[in-house]
């Protein structure tokens, strides 16, 4: 009389469970997670491991002859860190810095040996410090000295000017997490346009509350950022909804994989290119180019403008965020409508 060993039966049962669990779909999702992991490392390290200023918009205020000479000298700095151009006077230089047209300016004193460097640490403390070092070295080579004036100083409670970046990151996280929770709880793809609209309405309500909460925490409670609470509230609501609507759209088209694609766009590509840890002129070319067109970059630029630059130069950033919000809304509704139409078309075939 033969008996099947207990160990063999257990081994066969375990292998069967493994085979049932590791489906082709699960395998693809795991491979997707590994890909996101490697892209995360590559993106963050690639963008932030060796920051160098490149073609930083920079003004020079000096008499005509001296201005031409100074511009030429700054253009020839190793690595082309500055993109110098002449500015009429110190007042114009200050105005251009506040309008975020340039990141700094050198005001040459033709009657003395000490010049003035204008910077704006509110736009990024690291960039302001880098400009100080570059200009001080260039001036020393000409046997001149320089004193620094901060036109738009960062708040003492805003270490390295990072508060605006982390505020925007929080709003972005709220956007894609809310959209992901809606997908996990009720299915990645809404069954019809009505349900898609309900998700978008929920997303809008969450955005309004989250935008207000972030503005209050960063301003009145922590005192980390100056600027209008109402303006920051509106910006936060727009950022959260833009990211949430984009995530809903990706889920509507690609299903649960859409969550991974949202993380790819917002976290992996968007955060290191946002100009948070290092302002845009210090990022490598790829990240410098994509940053302003993704929600974290557009949001960080607008938040800093509201906090330190009187709300100047926010038009393009706000248009970018509105484009993400509108595109996400339209695609979410269209994807649900097409899904509903396909289901209705399949009903007669199933009945037959």
């Amino acid at each position: 009389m033969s008996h099947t060993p207990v160990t063999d039966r257990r081994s066969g049962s375990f292998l069967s469970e493994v085979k049932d669990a590791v489906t082709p779909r699960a395998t693809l999702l795991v491979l997707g997670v590994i890909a996101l992991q490697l892209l995360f490392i590559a993106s963050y390290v690639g963008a932030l491991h060796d920051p160098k200023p490149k073609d930083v918009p920079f003004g020079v205020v000096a008499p005509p002859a001296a201005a031409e000479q100074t511009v030429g000298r700054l253009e020839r700095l190793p690595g082309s860190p500055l993109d110098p151009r002449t500015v009429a006077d110190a007042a114009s230089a200050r105005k251009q810095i506040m309008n975020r047209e340039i990141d700094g300016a050198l005001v040459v004193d033709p009657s003395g040996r000490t010049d003035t460097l204008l910077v704006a640490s509110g736009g990024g403390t690291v960039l302001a410090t880098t400009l100080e070092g570059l200009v001080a070295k260039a001036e020393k080579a000409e046997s001149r000295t320089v004193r620094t004036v901060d036109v738009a100083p960062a708040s003492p409670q805003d270490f390295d000017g990072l508060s605006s970046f982390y505020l925007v990151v929080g709003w972005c996280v709220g956007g894609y997490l809310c959209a992901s929770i809606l997908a996990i709880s009720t299915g990645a793809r809404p069954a019809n346009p009505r349900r898609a609209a309900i998700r978008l309405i929920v997303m809008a309500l969450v955005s309004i509350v989250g935008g207000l909460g972030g503005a209050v925490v960063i301003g009145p409670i922590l005192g980390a950022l100056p600027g209008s609470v109402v303006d920051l509230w509106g910006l936060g609501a727009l950022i959260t909804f833009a990211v949430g609507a984009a995530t809903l759209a990706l889920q509507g088209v690609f299903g649960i994989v859409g969550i991974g694609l949202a993380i790819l766009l917002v976290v992996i590509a968007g955060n290191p290119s946002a100009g948070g840890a290092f302002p845009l002129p210090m990022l490598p070319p790829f990240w410098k180019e994509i940053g302003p067109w993704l929600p974290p970059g557009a949001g960080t630029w607008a938040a800093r403008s509201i906090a330190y630059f009187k709300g100047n130069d926010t038009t393009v950033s706000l248009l970018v965020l509105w484009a993400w919000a509108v595109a996400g809304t339209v695609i979410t509704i269209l994807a649900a409508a097409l899904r509903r139409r396909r289901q209705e078309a399949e009903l007669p075939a199933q009945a037959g």
Side-chain angles (χ1 to χ4, degrees):
M1 182 176 181
S2 60
H3 297 280
T4 303
V6 174
T7 54
D8 289 348
R9 290 200 301 269
R10 289 177 178 175
S11 176
S13 175
F14 174 75
L15 292 175
S16 177
E17 289 178 1
V18 170
K19 184 178 180 181
D20 291 339
V22 184
T23 62
R25 182 172 182 269
T27 302
L28 288 175
L29 290 174
V30 170
L31 291 176
V33 169
I34 295 173
L36 287 176
Q37 179 186 51
L38 297 179
L39 286 171
F40 183 98
I41 295 170
S43 183
Y44 277 74
V45 176
L48 307 177
H49 78 289
D50 187 24
K52 294 178 180 177
K54 180 69 174 178
D55 295 329
V56 179
F58 191 80
V60 173
V61 178
E68 184 178 348
Q69 181 181 2
T70 304
V71 167
R73 178 160 48 89
L74 296 177
E75 283 179 334
R76 291 190 295 271
L77 290 176
S80 300
L82 302 179
D83 178 18
R85 73 284 308 265
T86 58
V87 180
D89 50 42
S92 298
R94 288 173 176 267
K95 184 177 180 180
Q96 288 188 28
I97 292 174
M98 290 303 297
N99 288 338
R100 309 201 73 179
E101 298 172 17
I102 58 177
D103 292 305
L106 180 64
V107 182
V108 177
D109 181 4
S111 62
R113 306 297 298 174
T114 299
D115 300 327
T116 301
L117 172 65
L118 305 179
V119 297
S121 60
T125 304
V126 175
L127 179 57
T129 303
T130 300
L131 290 178
E132 287 185 54
L134 284 171
V135 173
K137 186 176 181 180
E139 290 283 274
K140 185 177 180 181
E142 299 295 319
S143 300
R144 300 181 68 85
T145 59
V146 63
R147 68 184 187 94
T148 301
V149 175
D150 199 338
V151 176
S155 165
Q157 285 74 42
D158 183 12
F159 177 75
D160 273 357
L162 291 173
S163 297
S164 53
F165 170 62
Y166 289 126
L167 173 65
V168 171
V169 168
W171 281 328
C172 289
V173 168
Y176 69 73
L177 279 185
C178 180
S180 301
I181 289 171
L182 290 173
I184 293 170
S185 61
T186 59
R189 294 185 175 99
N192 53 57
R194 179 174 174 273
R195 293 187 178 182
I198 291 173
R199 293 191 186 190
L200 288 166
I201 292 171
V202 171
M203 193 70 250
L205 294 175
V206 169
S207 300
I208 293 170
V209 175
L212 176 60
V216 170
V217 169
I218 203 75
I221 293 179
L222 297 179
L225 280 184
S228 167
V229 171
V230 174
D231 290 345
L232 288 174
W233 176 14
L235 176 65
L238 178 56
I239 292 171
T240 306
F241 184 79
V243 173
T247 305
L248 290 175
L250 291 169
Q251 291 169 177
V253 175
F254 299 102
I256 198 70
V257 176
I259 297 176
L261 294 176
I263 292 173
L264 174 64
L265 286 172
V266 176
V267 179
I268 295 176
N271 284 354
S273 65
F278 300 108
L280 292 176
M282 300 189 70
L283 296 179
F286 173 75
W287 288 268
K288 180 180 178 179
E289 292 300 321
I290 68 171
W293 308 108
L294 296 174
T300 299
W301 182 274
R304 281 178 171 161
S305 290
I306 291 171
Y308 297 116
F309 298 92
K310 301 180 181 180
N312 294 328
D313 197 24
T314 58
T315 302
V316 173
S317 297
L318 294 178
L319 287 175
V320 168
L321 293 170
W322 274 110
W324 280 85
V326 172
T329 300
V330 171
I331 294 173
T332 299
I333 297 294
L334 285 178
L338 292 173
R339 177 178 172 81
R340 180 66 173 177
R341 184 175 296 177
R342 284 195 301 267
Q343 291 174 341
E344 291 174 348
E346 292 170 357
L347 287 177
Q350 293 173 355

